[in-house]
Amino acid sequence: MCHYYFVLFDKLYCVYLFFCYLFFFFFILSFFFLMILQPQRSTLSSSSAASDVYKRQKEKKWHRIYRSFFTKHTRKDAPIAGKIWFPKEAENCPVVFMAHGNHSITAESYRGYDYLGEYLASHGYVFVSVDENILNERSGENDARAVLLLENIGEILEKNGDESQPVYSKIDEDNIALMGHSRGGEMIADAYLFNEYDAYPSNGMFTFDYHYRIRALIAVAPSVSQYLPAGHETELSDVDYLVLQGANDQDISVFLGNEQYENVSFSKDRSYIASSLYIAGANHGQFNTEWGEYDIGRPFSLWLNVKNFITAEDQQEILKIASLVFLDKSLKEKDTYADFLTDYAKYAEYLPETLYVQQYETSDTLFITDYEEDSDLETAPCGSVSAEHFTMWTEEELADSESAMGKRENHAVRLKWKDTKAAYYEIALDEPMAMGEGGICFDAMDLREKAENEPMDFSVVLTDIHGNRAVSTLCDSTILYPAFPVKLSKIQYITGKNEYKRQLQTVHITEKQFTEENGFDRSQIRSVRFAFDRVENGAVNMDNIAFVK
């Protein structure tokens, strides 16, 4: 039996090596052809109306010849084109402009959202899927995608005022949302920024004059930082933001949308929300019916594991439900199902069956700490910090998985304990703070990779200026999921190795979920303690600790 085991192991190892070498060969071959066919990094014209915005670099001859087989347009005359859905009878409807991402130039990517256009139009929205195919199979073009989207918006709004057009009076120009997938999901943040500006950030000699009333953004599996305005990250303020990402995405294999999510901030003059939904079993391409289950083209698609996906229909159903609820809240100010954006579990019976991790932030939070201020573990913006009985206590820059390339540019506290229920982490406030009916919220991540036996749980203890306490537990409000194990490639499937996907999850404990001692004063809270008294061994990240009005 021992001899058979080692023979079998040797055979499997040889098969493994064979696939590795074959994969490497195809990688080198594909890289060679991509270098020939792809242009140098360049900034592209997005329409004749905006062609003077960009300095163009010379396009490679091979690439011009290649593209000429598939399109009559060049980057100097990008067309204003797309597809529109609208309610037949209704007028003055909110409008959603959808932008696809990078894909083969031979595919009509903008047609891949027909299901979404039909669905939203049936609920009182005008939906415009913009054709940006002229910018596909290029690099360094996301600013051009943004301008092309804004030019399309201007064209459609002109038609809205033209009695001869089918969309005449259909659109409420005060209620506009942008939606994007992949590079389009990143680009809509740039478009929102350009819409606010009067000059192009990369060269202020070229001017903008858009200023459309954009109130909401929906990013689907977005890329990030492919365009940096004047070398800065794209920072957004006072706009509702929703981002969705699949844990089994094999194109954007980590949740890059987290970075843009962290760069959304709110003032307190009205109600805003940023919400994210991380979806187990969802990939990149199935959000678009033209792209399908393979997130990377041949020959690399041969190595992708696609057997553990949810169905395309389920993936699209999730996007439809999340988009409608978000748009209803942001553009129609309907709150009937708005709590889906903060507590999807209440609507689990209407969602396809899979695991979800939700994170969110609202404009009615009062932050205690977000761990971005410095490297001193014993200080917080509002007070001092102490910790006892941990084997690890630090503040670190987060990564999306243990094998992720790069970081999320977001910091959180990391706590690890072993063989004890006495560990605690406490923030003593310099000045008493008030807890409203909304209670307290924080983001947390269970770092255990094998936690089948017991769910993560710990206590949250508030102490007022008189020493009276209020106590609740994590499990009273939510289930904190451990990292998702996924196998993105067939190599991982053969070897049995998982990649563990980690995502922060917002925990919200309301005022009513606390058990209060007599005399506890919610308006005079002196300290917040996290007591790890329920699980003997564990590790967590925590971030964005705040009271909620």
Side-chain angles (χ1 to χ4, degrees):
M1 289 184 69
C2 290
H3 174 70
Y4 175 77
Y5 171 79
F6 283 111
V7 169
L8 178 61
F9 176 81
D10 288 342
K11 287 181 179 179
L12 288 174
Y13 186 69
C14 289
V15 170
Y16 172 71
L17 287 180
F18 171 75
F19 280 124
C20 287
Y21 284 124
L22 194 61
F23 179 87
F24 181 76
F25 170 78
F26 279 122
F27 176 83
I28 297 299
L29 188 64
S30 299
F31 181 79
F32 173 76
F33 281 107
L34 285 171
M35 290 299 293
I36 291 176
L37 296 178
Q38 289 292 333
Q40 297 287 348
R41 181 175 178 84
S42 59
T43 312
L44 309 174
S45 168
S46 60
S47 72
S48 58
S51 62
D52 61 341
V53 171
Y54 300 105
K55 289 182 177 179
R56 304 182 189 88
Q57 296 181 8
K58 187 175 181 180
E59 189 174 26
K60 280 188 174 182
K61 181 178 180 181
W62 281 104
H63 197 259
R64 286 200 307 273
I65 295 172
Y66 165 69
R67 296 180 69 84
S68 68
F69 285 109
F70 307 113
T71 178
K72 63 181 179 181
H73 297 285
T74 69
R75 56 183 178 171
K76 296 181 180 180
D77 64 345
I80 303 295
K83 189 173 181 180
I84 306 174
W85 291 259
F86 54 85
K88 187 175 181 179
E89 304 297 335
E91 293 185 349
N92 205 38
C93 303
V95 60
V96 182
F97 288 87
M98 177 74 189
H100 62 80
N102 188 51
H103 200 67
S104 169
I105 196 174
T106 62
E108 293 184 298
S109 295
Y110 73 99
R111 294 183 178 274
Y113 309 104
D114 285 6
Y115 71 94
L116 196 57
E118 294 171 3
Y119 179 76
L120 291 177
S122 71
H123 286 83
Y125 291 90
V126 175
F127 183 87
V128 183
S129 185
V130 176
D131 180 3
E132 297 205 344
N133 202 43
I134 189 66
L135 298 178
N136 278 354
E137 296 193 40
R138 298 182 184 270
S139 61
E141 83 299 340
N142 245 24
D143 48 352
R145 289 180 185 270
V147 173
L148 182 54
L149 176 61
L150 291 166
E151 290 291 314
N152 272 269
I153 294 174
E155 179 75 13
I156 297 301
L157 295 187
E158 281 188 22
K159 294 182 184 298
N160 187 53
D162 184 346
E163 294 184 10
S164 67
Q165 296 295 325
V167 294
Y168 173 66
S169 291
K170 290 290 184 184
I171 295 172
D172 176 2
E173 298 184 12
D174 289 329
N175 282 297
I176 300 173
L178 306 184
M179 189 171 185
H181 180 197
S182 194
R183 287 192 197 180
E186 174 190 342
M187 173 272 288
I188 58 171
D190 298 325
Y192 181 82
L193 209 64
F194 288 1
N195 184 66
E196 298 290 305
Y197 288 171
D198 293 323
Y200 175 46
S202 297
N203 188 344
M205 298 306 297
F206 302 124
T207 60
F208 293 146
D209 187 21
Y210 296 114
H211 303 294
Y212 305 126
R213 297 176 181 89
I214 300 170
R215 296 179 55 187
L217 306 177
I218 302 176
V220 183
S223 57
V224 70
S225 298
Q226 295 203 17
Y227 172 72
L228 295 172
H232 296 278
E233 293 180 348
T234 303
E235 296 187 2
L236 307 176
S237 61
D238 292 348
V239 62
D240 290 333
Y241 186 79
L242 173 66
V243 59
L244 300 94
Q245 174 75 29
N248 293 69
D249 193 317
Q250 296 159 321
D251 181 4
I252 299 176
S253 58
V254 296
F255 196 168
L256 296 180
N258 279 320
E259 294 187 31
Q260 186 61 68
Y261 172 90
E262 294 289 342
N263 281 329
V264 179
S265 61
F266 306 130
S267 61
K268 306 299 182 182
D269 59 345
R270 65 179 290 260
S271 176
Y272 297 101
I273 187 169
S275 181
S276 79
L277 194 63
Y278 196 53
I279 309 160
N283 80 330
H284 194 78
Q286 289 184 157
F287 289 115
N288 184 308
T289 58
E290 296 290 317
W291 293 4
E293 64 181 354
Y294 289 100
D295 289 344
I296 304 175
R298 291 182 180 273
F300 299 113
S301 62
L302 298 173
W303 308 108
L304 300 182
N305 178 25
V306 299
K307 297 302 182 184
N308 54 355
F309 292 171
I310 59 177
T311 66
E313 292 76 17
D314 281 350
Q315 193 164 321
Q316 292 156 20
E317 184 69 14
I318 294 167
L319 180 57
K320 289 194 296 184
I321 293 171
S323 299
L324 179 62
V325 170
F326 177 76
L327 292 168
D328 278 354
K329 174 177 173 53
S330 298
L331 302 187
K332 294 185 177 181
E333 298 183 351
K334 292 172 59 177
D335 291 333
T336 307
Y337 303 109
D339 53 353
F340 172 89
L341 302 171
T342 58
D343 187 8
Y344 79 88
K346 290 179 63 175
Y347 303 93
E349 63 181 297
Y350 304 106
L351 288 169
E353 186 175 353
T354 188
L355 293 178
Y356 303 86
V357 173
Q358 190 169 55
Q359 188 179 4
Y360 61 90
E361 178 185 329
T362 62
S363 55
D364 59 356
T365 54
L366 183 61
F367 280 100
I368 299 171
T369 182
D370 62 2
Y371 299 101
E372 301 298 330
E373 73 280 1
D374 57 37
S375 58
D376 189 344
L377 300 182
E378 295 184 313
T379 63
C382 295
S384 59
V385 178
S386 60
E388 294 290 344
H389 307 297
F390 293 104
T391 59
M392 170 62 74
W393 167 32
T394 188
E395 294 176 12
E396 62 183 5
E397 190 175 9
L398 297 177
D400 291 277
S401 71
E402 80 280 1
S403 62
M405 300 295 290
K407 299 289 186 177
R408 282 178 48 174
E409 300 184 5
N410 177 46
H411 293 79
V413 66
R414 180 187 181 98
L415 303 168
K416 185 176 181 179
W417 64 100
K418 185 177 181 180
D419 298 330
T420 182
K421 291 185 178 181
Y424 69 87
Y425 177 84
E426 185 169 24
I427 303 173
L429 303 173
D430 290 336
E431 297 293 334
M433 295 179 68
M435 178 179 68
E437 293 181 0
I440 191 171
C441 68
F442 54 91
D443 297 333
M445 186 189 315
D446 184 354
L447 297 177
R448 299 174 300 169
E449 293 179 352
K450 295 181 179 179
E452 299 89 348
N453 294 331
E454 53 183 345
M456 176 57 66
D457 196 13
F458 51 84
S459 299
V460 180
V461 184
L462 309 179
T463 304
D464 68 12
I465 58 174
H466 306 293
N468 299 313
R469 304 195 313 164
V471 181
S472 187
T473 64
L474 178 69
C475 285
D476 287 340
S477 62
T478 192
I479 298 173
L480 190 65
Y481 290 110
F484 289 173
V486 300
K487 295 180 175 71
L488 298 181
S489 70
K490 291 176 181 175
I491 296 297
Q492 290 175 319
Y493 186 81
I494 292 171
T495 61
K497 181 181 179 181
N498 290 317
E499 179 177 345
Y500 288 91
K501 300 289 188 174
R502 298 167 177 163
Q503 173 63 18
L504 284 170
Q505 179 177 343
T506 299
V507 178
H508 184 192
I509 304 174
T510 66
E511 172 200 26
K512 294 180 179 180
Q513 290 173 311
F514 280 94
T515 301
E516 301 177 357
E517 293 180 348
N518 289 334
F520 178 76
D521 187 350
R522 293 188 296 273
S523 66
Q524 298 285 321
I525 296 174
R526 174 62 77 182
S527 69
V528 179
R529 173 179 288 203
F530 298 90
F532 297 90
D533 52 0
R534 302 301 179 101
V535 177
E536 285 191 348
N537 299 282
V540 297
N541 281 130
M542 292 198 304
D543 194 12
N544 298 322
I545 302 170
F547 288 119
V548 184
K549 293 180 181 178

